[in-house]
Amino acid sequence: MSISRKALITGAGGGIGSAISRALDARGYSLILVDREMAPLDAVAATLRAAPEKILCDLSSREEVERLCDRLGREHADLDVLVNNAGIVVPGAVTGLDQAALDLHLEINLRAPIRLMRAAAPLMIARRRGAMVATVSLGGVISLKDSAIYSASKFGLRGFLCGFHQELAPLGVKVSGVYPAAVDTPMLHHEALHGGSVLNFVDRVMTPEDIAAATLKAIDTGRLEVYSPWSASLMARLFGSFPWMIRPILPLMEKLGEQGRRKFLARKDLSAQQH
């Protein structure tokens, strides 16, 4: 008789979240899907083999995050996997974004996943098993103009994962980050049309299923950092180590990225929507 395993996914109604949900469902996990609206969760649930539990939670609200954490402790002490997938990006210069945009990045991309991992950790430590994975970004390795606030939140998340990984590994709990390059989701479409970094399109654009596969790899191995694609991470990690190199080479990379962006828009039939 197989043992049922339980996984919680935030941002489950989005492109990457839905792909991760389907991948875990195929493995036989009992799923808890979290998002801020019910309609996307219903749509994802309709694609799954087993009916999931659906929880509404706006991760920008500290009160709602606390209620979710309390619910984990009361109802899901047997949680095996936590996937912090929810995220937000609002492209733009720092001086052009208002304080609300800054706060949203910090609350959703950084504070909420940390809070959820702190809530899940005692449950997993008590059983000496479990895996926590966060969808980070190559924006957590290298920071570029017009994404400074986004990168600040993701740099912070990467730093947290590194230290937390070291703390929990001896206790039998895995902590990992998945670092996608550009992924073909509505968020990327918005960036492509509204001033997001053209460097998203220097390398090939990944699919949500690619990131779901990387997430499963992180769950299985407990590796601290899983990159998708690995090739794109090489340049990001090089520039992340030597950030002074970014400005001299940026014009060339932007030229290549703009060519890739135009090809992407044409391939997705989005060119007519461009402002």
Side-chain angles (χ1 to χ4, degrees):
M1 182 177 179
S2 61
I3 300 176
S4 176
R5 296 171 294 175
K6 183 181 293 185
L8 183 149
I9 306 102
T10 69
I16 294 175
S18 61
I20 294 172
S21 299
R22 289 191 295 272
L24 290 172
D25 175 68
R27 283 195 171 190
Y29 278 85
S30 172
L31 299 184
I32 308 161
L33 308 184
V34 178
D35 214 311
R36 61 181 180 176
E37 296 179 356
M38 186 58 70
L41 292 182
D42 288 339
V44 174
T47 70
L48 304 178
R49 300 186 306 176
E53 179 177 346
K54 294 173 283 187
I55 299 176
L56 292 182
C57 181
D58 181 352
L59 297 182
S60 69
S61 166
R62 295 190 180 186
E63 292 77 12
E64 292 192 27
V65 171
E66 287 305 313
R67 285 198 291 271
L68 178 58
C69 290
D70 179 67
R71 189 166 177 176
L72 280 182
R74 287 186 292 104
E75 302 176 11
H76 301 293
D78 57 344
L79 187 70
D80 294 287
V81 172
L82 169 65
V83 180
N84 284 292
N85 171 69
I88 184 175
V89 56
V90 181
V94 173
T95 54
L97 296 175
D98 59 20
Q99 184 64 32
L102 187 152
D103 291 339
L104 278 176
H105 282 87
L106 295 180
E107 292 292 334
I108 296 173
N109 295 352
L110 181 58
R111 190 184 187 281
I114 289 176
R115 182 66 188 95
L116 287 169
M117 283 186 275
R118 287 188 67 237
L123 310 178
M124 295 182 179
I125 291 171
R127 298 156 63 217
R128 296 195 68 82
R129 65 183 175 90
M132 290 185 269
V133 182
T135 306
V136 190
S137 167
L138 289 184
V141 180
I142 178 174
S143 183
L144 301 169
K145 66 177 186 179
D146 295 331
S147 62
I149 293 175
Y150 174 75
S151 284
S153 65
K154 293 296 188 175
F155 267 58
L157 183 57
R158 186 189 189 201
F160 176 81
L161 293 172
C162 183
F164 206 40
H165 171 93
Q166 297 168 45
E167 293 176 18
L168 295 196
L171 304 176
V173 180
K174 305 170 186 174
V175 176
S176 307
V178 172
Y179 293 77
V183 185
D184 189 355
T185 63
M187 183 182 292
L188 182 66
H189 297 176
H190 178 82
E191 286 196 75
L193 292 166
H194 298 93
S197 175
V198 296
L199 299 186
N200 283 319
F201 306 97
V202 171
D203 211 310
R204 68 188 179 96
V205 174
M206 308 301 287
T207 68
E209 288 70 27
D210 292 326
I211 310 310
T215 301
L216 293 183
K217 182 177 181 180
I219 293 169
D220 291 342
T221 66
R223 185 177 299 174
L224 175 60
E225 298 185 343
V226 178
Y227 293 93
S228 183
W230 185 78
S231 59
S233 76
L234 296 178
M235 183 174 296
R237 283 184 282 176
L238 173 63
F239 289 152
S241 299
F242 304 99
W244 56 266
M245 295 174 57
I246 298 173
R247 282 185 61 197
I249 201 172
L250 191 58
L252 173 60
M253 300 305 296
E254 287 181 332
K255 183 177 180 180
L256 295 174
E258 177 59 22
Q259 293 173 357
R261 185 185 76 91
R262 291 177 180 176
K263 291 178 181 177
F264 176 78
L265 291 175
R267 186 169 69 252
K268 303 298 293 186
D269 198 24
L270 296 170
S271 299
Q273 301 179 33
Q274 188 171 9
H275 296 311

